Amino acid sequence: MKSVKIIALFLCVILLLSACFEEAPAPTEPSASNVAPLIIRLAGSDYGIPSPYTHSPRGPGYCNMYLLFDGLQEKDEKGLVPWLATDWTIENDGKAYLFTIRDNVRWHDGTKLTADDVKFSYHYYLKHPPVRNTLVEGKETFVEKTEVVGKNQVRITVKQPNAAYLPQEHPKGDLLQYVI
């Protein structure tokens, strides 16, 4: 009889304790209304807006910018490789570079990248020098002019031939016409 009283007391305590807690809601499938947007941040401190024209000159601002923007060429372990340009030729004994712009490059909203965008980028870059300017030699730019010469071709003419120009020929992180 004593054991029946202990069991009954034990069941009463469990019943009382269970009344003190709410039942957890059943898990729901994520939907567009209850999912937080994905936010990706670059590691480190705030070194300015990741733009060739506004990042801080100290710290890794320009390195972060290189992660976000593309140029006409890139470098790999073998040297220069096509990137936004499919290919390029050196003309006029090293005084001009003809770049062919890749056809399938689009902006974040689907607008097609054009040769006019690249031309605008160079003109803007030269008129408003960025924090880290790779198109300057001494105190002057080495680019003489930029012109659209075909549907998807841009010719960049330099003031004098120099084999070192091609690796730095494009303003890395082009802020092209559509972005500005």
Side-chain angles (χ1 to χ4, degrees):
M1 178 82 164
K2 192 172 184 179
S3 63
V4 173
K5 285 183 182 181
I6 292 176
I7 291 175
L9 181 62
F10 180 71
L11 289 175
C12 286
V13 170
I14 290 177
L15 185 63
L16 286 173
L17 287 176
S18 66
C20 294
F21 297 101
E22 290 184 37
E23 185 176 327
T28 59
E29 289 295 318
S31 68
S33 64
N34 68 359
V35 174
L38 175 64
I39 298 173
I40 299 174
R41 292 190 172 96
L42 296 173
S45 186
D46 181 11
Y47 294 101
I49 299 169
S51 156
Y53 306 96
T54 59
H55 67 77
S56 174
R58 63 182 202 283
Y62 80 92
C63 294
N64 290 341
M65 180 201 62
Y66 276 60
L67 297 172
L68 300 175
F69 297 96
D70 291 320
L72 298 175
Q73 310 159 311
E74 282 293 331
K75 291 181 185 177
D76 69 5
E77 63 278 354
K78 296 176 186 171
L80 294 174
V81 295
W83 205 249
L84 293 180
T86 57
D87 58 52
W88 59 90
T89 55
I90 300 172
E91 303 176 331
N92 197 16
D93 294 325
K95 233 186 137 198
Y97 302 92
L98 180 66
F99 291 93
T100 302
I101 308 304
R102 194 174 297 279
D103 281 331
N104 60 349
V105 177
R106 299 198 176 271
W107 294 99
H108 65 284
D109 68 351
T111 304
K112 187 176 179 182
L113 175 70
T114 67
D116 287 319
D117 290 330
V118 176
K119 177 183 174 183
F120 177 88
S121 179
Y122 275 90
H123 285 260
Y124 192 91
Y125 197 90
L126 295 172
K127 188 175 180 181
H128 307 282
V131 174
R132 186 169 187 246
N133 194 344
T134 59
L135 297 181
V136 171
E137 185 177 70
K139 292 187 178 190
E140 280 192 38
T141 176
F142 58 81
V143 174
E144 185 176 289
K145 68 179 178 176
T146 306
E147 57 190 324
V148 174
V149 295
K151 176 187 162 205
N152 61 342
Q153 291 186 316
V154 177
R155 180 177 289 120
I156 299 165
T157 305
V158 295
K159 294 176 181 174
Q160 61 184 359
N162 186 328
Y165 290 164
L166 194 58
Q168 59 192 14
E169 184 62 30
H170 66 283
K172 177 65 175 181
D174 296 344
L175 258 192
L176 303 173
Q177 184 172 3
Y178 193 77
V179 173
I180 294 172

